[in-house]
Amino acid sequence: MADTTADTGAGAPVFRVDSVSYRYRETVALAGVSLTIGAGERVALLGANGSGKSTLLKMLDGLIFPDQGHIRALGHELSAEALKDDGFSRMFRQQVGFVFQNSDAQLFSPSVREEIAFGPLHLGLSLEEVGRRVDDTLHIMGLEQLADRPPYNLSGGEKKKVALASVLAISPDVFLFDEPTAGLDPKTVSFLERMVLQLSDAGKTVVTATQDLELARVIAERVLVLGEDHRLAGEGPPDEVLTDRELLLSSNLIHDHSHRHDERGLEHIHPHSHLTDHGHQHG
Amino acid sequence: MTEDAALPDWLTGHGRKRSRDWTPGDSRRQSAIAGTLLGLSRLVRDSVFSEKIASRPGLLQNLDPRIKLVGMLSLLVTVSLLRNWYLILPLYGFTLVMAAASRISLKLYIRRVWLFVPIFTAIIVFPSLFNVVRPGDPLWVIRDFGHQVTLGPWSLGTSLAITYQGVKGAVLLILRVVTSVSLGVLLALTTRWADLLKSLRVFHIPRVFVLILSMTYRYIFLLLAMAEDIFTARTSRMVGPSSPREDRRFIASSMGTLLGKSHAFSDEVYGAMVSRGYNGEPVISHSFRTRPADWFWLASVTLAIAIIIGGDRLLG
C-alpha cells in the first residue's frame, strides 16, 4: 500500500530522490544521487553518455527501483510494492508521462491513432473521452494525415512526434523526456523545444535528460549535472551551470577546446571541431 | 577516440592510390538467406502487424469477436473429435467458403496453410504408413522378403508394405491438421489482435496467459526488425558476394547477438507499455456488441457441427 503521509501540500516537490544508488550487474549506474524536483519546474538533467541519466529517468517513472536509497513521487513512496496497488499505480501513471529515447520501443500499435489511444484507454477513460483526446492530440501535433498509418513506417521525426503524442494524450502533470532531440532534424528539434515551453507554461513539470548543452539552455530553468562518477556533480540556473567550464569539463560534457560565445551576449559554452585550424571567428 | 589523436594513414588515404575502377555487370545479387529474411520480415509487418485483412469489411470481420472465437473453437474441437476422414472434408470446404466470404485471397490462404503441412505433419505420419511400424492390411507391397525378417528382438514380418490402416490414419491426421490450421489462420487473419486478446479475457482466460500472448506478438516484431537491421548492416560492410555457407555461418553466429539485443529492447518496450498504464489487461477502443447476424452465424455453425458429429456417430 502506498504511503500517503507527507509532501502532498501545494508547492510540494514532485520528486524527492534520496541517496539513490543503482547498478546493472557489475556496472554502477547511479551512486548516491539526491535531488528534488518541484511542481511546475523545468529541469534539464545533463550528463555524458553512461552517466546514469536514463536510469534516473526510468526510476522517476517507477520502471526500475533503487538498490539503495528512496524516491518519493507526488507525495508517496515510489517502490515496486507501492505500484502493486492498482489505485496508486493508475494515479501515478496518469500523472507521470515518459517519452523514451528510442521511439521504436514506444510505438507498438498497428496505427498512429491506436498508439495515441493506448494510454488513455489503459487508464480507464471513457471511450468518448479517449476519442476526443486522440483527435485533439492528432490536431495539435499535426499528425492528422498519419492517423491511420502504422507507426513503424514513419520517419524518425514523425515517430518522435507520435511518441510524444501518445504521452500527451494521457495529459500527465509531469513529463519525463529522455534525449528528446537526439538524431532529429533542426525543424523537429525546434518543434519539440516549443512544445516543452508550452507545456511548462501550462504548469506542467518537465524533466529532460540530455547531453545537448544548447537544448538545456533553451528549455531548462534549472540544470542538474550528473558526473562521470554517477553522482550529482552540480546544479543551478542554466546561465551559471552552462558557463561553469570546470564543472562541464569534469563531467565530460565538453573538451578543452570548447569555448564560450559571449561576443553577442550568448553566454554558453559549446563543443567545436578543431580538425582543421584554430581560428575562432564566429561572425 | 582520444583527444588530439591523429587519424592513421590507412584511414585518411594519404600516399595511396584508390582504385575507382569497376566492371559493369559485376554487381552481386542479394544472398538468398538475406532475401528470404527481408521478405519474411516485410510480409509479417505488412500482413500481420498492419492488420490489413482484419480491417477490411467481410463476413468474419463483421462478426463480434467473442462469437467468432466461440464458433471457431467449437469447430476446432469438432475436427479433433471426428473419426471419419471424409466428414472432415466438408468442414475444410466450409473454411474455404468463409475465407472467400471474408475477402481473403484463396490462393494465398490455401498456400499458407498447406506450406506447413508437409513440414510438420507429413514427416511425422510417414513411418506409420508402413506395416513395419503399424501392422495392417497391405495396400501396396513394396518388397516381398519371402521369409520372416527379424531385426534383433523385432520381427519385421515377411514383406515391406504400405497398409490400408496406415494410409487411412495418415489422411485423417493430415486433414485434421489442415482444417485446424485453416480455422486458426482464419481467426487470426480476420480479427484485430487487441480484439482477440480482449475476447480471450471475456472468457476468463487468465490475465498472465493473455499478457504472454500479447508480449510474444510485440516480440516477434522486434526480433524481425532487429534481424533485418543486422543483415542490412552486414550488407553495407561487405565487399564481394557471400557464399551460402558463409551466410549460414553468419546466421548461426548472429542468432545469439540477436536474442540478447532483442531481449534488452523488449524490456524497454514493456517499460513503455507499463509507463502508459498497461497492467496486462487488454483494452480496446470500442465495446463489443452482438447483432442478429452474429447469432445467425453461430446458429449455423452449431447446426453444421451437430449434423457432422451425428453423421460421424452413425457411420461409426
Side-chain angles (χ1 to χ4, degrees):
Chain A
M1 184 63 205
D3 169 18
T4 54
T5 47
D7 299 351
T8 44
V14 173
F15 293 112
R16 193 191 286 275
V17 177
D18 184 17
S19 314
V20 158
S21 298
Y22 188 81
R23 51 170 67 223
Y24 293 98
R25 292 208 178 94
E26 296 307 303
T27 319
V28 175
L30 292 171
V33 171
S34 297
L35 54 93
T36 305
I37 293 169
E41 257 197 303
R42 250 186 297 133
V43 177
L45 203 55
L46 266 184
N49 290 332
S51 57
K53 304 184 296 286
S54 298
T55 306
L56 185 54
L57 275 197
K58 282 184 185 162
M59 254 178 210
L60 295 182
D61 198 36
L63 296 175
I64 53 176
F65 303 94
D67 295 336
Q68 282 163 19
H70 299 275
I71 298 183
R72 289 184 72 81
L74 312 166
H76 307 274
E77 182 78 24
L78 185 61
S79 63
E81 201 53 42
L83 282 167
K84 279 184 191 155
D85 182 303
D86 266 356
F88 175 65
S89 169
R90 181 166 295 203
M91 181 280 284
F92 180 77
R93 297 290 170 215
Q94 202 279 313
Q95 300 226 7
V96 182
F98 189 176
V99 181
F100 281 68
Q101 177 178 2
N102 186 345
S103 306
D104 281 321
Q106 203 174 335
L107 307 177
F108 38 70
S109 300
S111 73
V112 168
R113 187 183 294 280
E114 283 171 72
E115 193 65 65
I116 298 174
F118 184 91
L121 277 175
H122 278 85
L123 291 165
L125 296 183
S126 70
L127 295 180
E128 229 170 81
E129 176 65 14
V130 171
R132 194 169 68 89
R133 284 201 185 181
V134 170
D135 289 341
D136 288 351
T137 313
L138 283 169
H139 178 68
I140 54 172
M141 296 298 285
L143 291 168
E144 288 115 323
Q145 302 294 321
L146 305 177
D148 296 311
R149 291 259 305 272
Y152 54 78
N153 275 342
L154 305 179
S155 73
E158 289 166 342
K159 277 183 188 172
K160 185 58 87 182
K161 280 189 181 178
V162 176
L164 174 55
S166 72
V167 174
L168 279 180
I170 300 171
S171 182
D173 290 333
V174 182
F175 283 80
L176 306 172
F177 287 97
D178 193 1
E179 298 282 4
T181 56
L184 298 181
D185 61 62
K187 195 177 163 199
T188 315
V189 170
S190 81
F191 176 87
L192 285 173
E193 286 171 352
R194 264 180 293 140
M195 187 53 90
V196 167
L197 296 176
Q198 260 182 299
L199 289 171
S200 174
D201 286 346
K204 311 278 187 183
T205 309
V206 184
V207 182
T208 310
T210 184
Q211 45 187 313
D212 182 341
L213 305 185
E214 178 59 17
L215 178 72
R217 189 183 66 82
V218 175
I219 63 167
E221 56 191 11
R222 185 158 69 100
V223 178
L224 302 164
V225 181
L226 272 177
E228 291 251 285
D229 57 356
H230 312 283
R231 293 170 196 279
L232 202 61
E235 66 171 296
D239 50 356
E240 267 176 35
V241 172
L242 298 175
T243 50
D244 186 340
R245 248 185 104 74
E246 283 310 307
L247 173 64
L248 298 182
L249 265 175
S250 67
S251 311
N252 234 2
L253 283 159
I254 55 166
H255 61 78
D256 285 337
H257 296 310
S258 296
H259 64 151
R260 190 178 296 176
H261 280 228
D262 47 6
E263 298 89 346
R264 290 171 297 148
L266 296 170
E267 283 279 336
H268 73 284
I269 292 175
H270 79 155
H272 172 94
S273 168
H274 287 266
L275 286 174
T276 46
D277 58 53
H278 272 70
H280 281 194
Q281 278 86 38
H282 282 262
Chain B
M1 192 171 154
T2 50
E3 296 267 324
D4 301 324
L7 296 178
D9 283 347
W10 57 261
L11 185 57
T12 58
H14 291 158
R16 180 161 65 101
K17 269 192 183 162
R18 224 174 252 267
S19 166
R20 291 206 163 86
D21 291 341
W22 58 282
T23 320
D26 202 24
S27 61
R28 63 191 191 81
R29 283 178 304 149
Q30 192 179 37
S31 81
I33 292 182
T36 311
L37 190 76
L38 295 182
L40 182 72
S41 157
R42 252 165 243 148
L43 175 84
V44 171
R45 273 185 192 202
D46 293 345
S47 63
V48 182
F49 290 97
S50 65
E51 302 185 333
K52 263 185 200 157
I53 297 176
S55 0
R56 252 181 232 167
L59 171 74
L60 290 175
Q61 290 91 329
N62 293 344
L63 290 178
D64 181 297
R66 295 166 301 175
I67 300 277
K68 185 163 42 173
L69 187 66
V70 172
M72 291 298 198
L73 284 178
S74 315
L75 285 168
L76 263 176
V77 172
T78 310
V79 169
S80 63
L81 288 179
L82 292 179
R83 290 169 298 186
N84 293 293
W85 64 269
Y86 43 84
L87 285 178
I88 301 181
L89 274 179
L91 275 185
Y92 180 59
F94 186 52
T95 66
L96 295 182
V97 172
M98 284 195 292
S102 307
R103 300 178 59 200
I104 297 170
S105 151
L106 276 186
K107 198 173 139 195
L108 195 85
Y109 176 62
I110 293 171
R111 204 194 289 161
R112 190 175 281 191
V113 172
W114 281 94
L115 185 72
F116 291 98
V117 172
I119 307 170
F120 296 108
T121 317
I123 295 172
I124 301 167
V125 299
F126 185 71
S128 72
L129 292 175
F130 300 95
N131 60 348
V132 181
V133 176
R134 182 178 177 160
D137 310 325
L139 191 68
W140 175 39
V141 178
I142 299 168
R143 186 159 180 185
D144 199 343
F145 302 124
H147 58 91
Q148 186 78 20
V149 177
T150 53
L151 186 70
W154 292 287
S155 165
L156 302 181
T158 55
S159 63
L160 177 67
I162 288 178
T163 65
Y164 171 73
Q165 286 82 353
V167 171
K168 200 176 141 190
V171 168
L172 182 66
L173 184 70
I174 288 179
L175 274 177
R176 267 188 190 158
V177 171
V178 166
T179 313
S180 306
V181 173
S182 297
L183 287 166
V185 168
L186 208 50
L187 179 66
L189 277 180
T190 59
T191 318
R192 312 205 72 177
W193 184 243
D195 287 349
L196 195 57
L197 292 180
K198 183 75 189 165
S199 313
L200 289 174
R201 283 295 290 151
V202 171
F203 296 109
H204 300 287
I205 306 282
R207 196 200 272 195
V208 65
F209 181 73
V210 175
L211 171 77
I212 290 169
L213 271 180
S214 159
M215 287 311 292
T216 309
Y217 178 76
R218 313 264 182 247
Y219 198 79
I220 295 171
F221 182 62
L222 285 180
L223 207 64
L224 278 172
M226 237 162 248
E228 208 181 309
D229 282 351
I230 289 183
F231 255 95
T232 316
R234 178 194 185 224
T235 310
S236 79
R237 280 180 296 167
M238 268 191 7
V239 182
S242 63
S243 66
R245 190 191 157 97
E246 279 172 347
D247 277 349
R248 282 196 300 274
R249 197 174 293 163
F250 175 74
I251 293 250
S253 66
S254 55
M255 257 178 207
T257 319
L258 180 62
L259 273 177
K261 270 179 138 180
S262 57
H263 176 67
F265 194 37
S266 70
D267 276 354
E268 189 117 335
V269 172
Y270 184 67
M273 291 168 78
V274 169
S275 176
R276 284 195 275 156
Y278 180 72
N279 59 3
E281 189 71 58
V283 186
I284 49 169
S285 55
H286 48 92
S287 46
F288 290 148
R289 214 177 46 226
T290 55
R291 293 167 308 142
D294 296 315
W295 296 109
F296 180 74
W297 181 81
L298 191 62
S300 318
V301 168
T302 313
L303 187 67
I305 289 173
I307 292 172
I308 287 181
I309 288 191
D312 192 59
R313 291 291 170 267
L314 274 179
L315 291 165

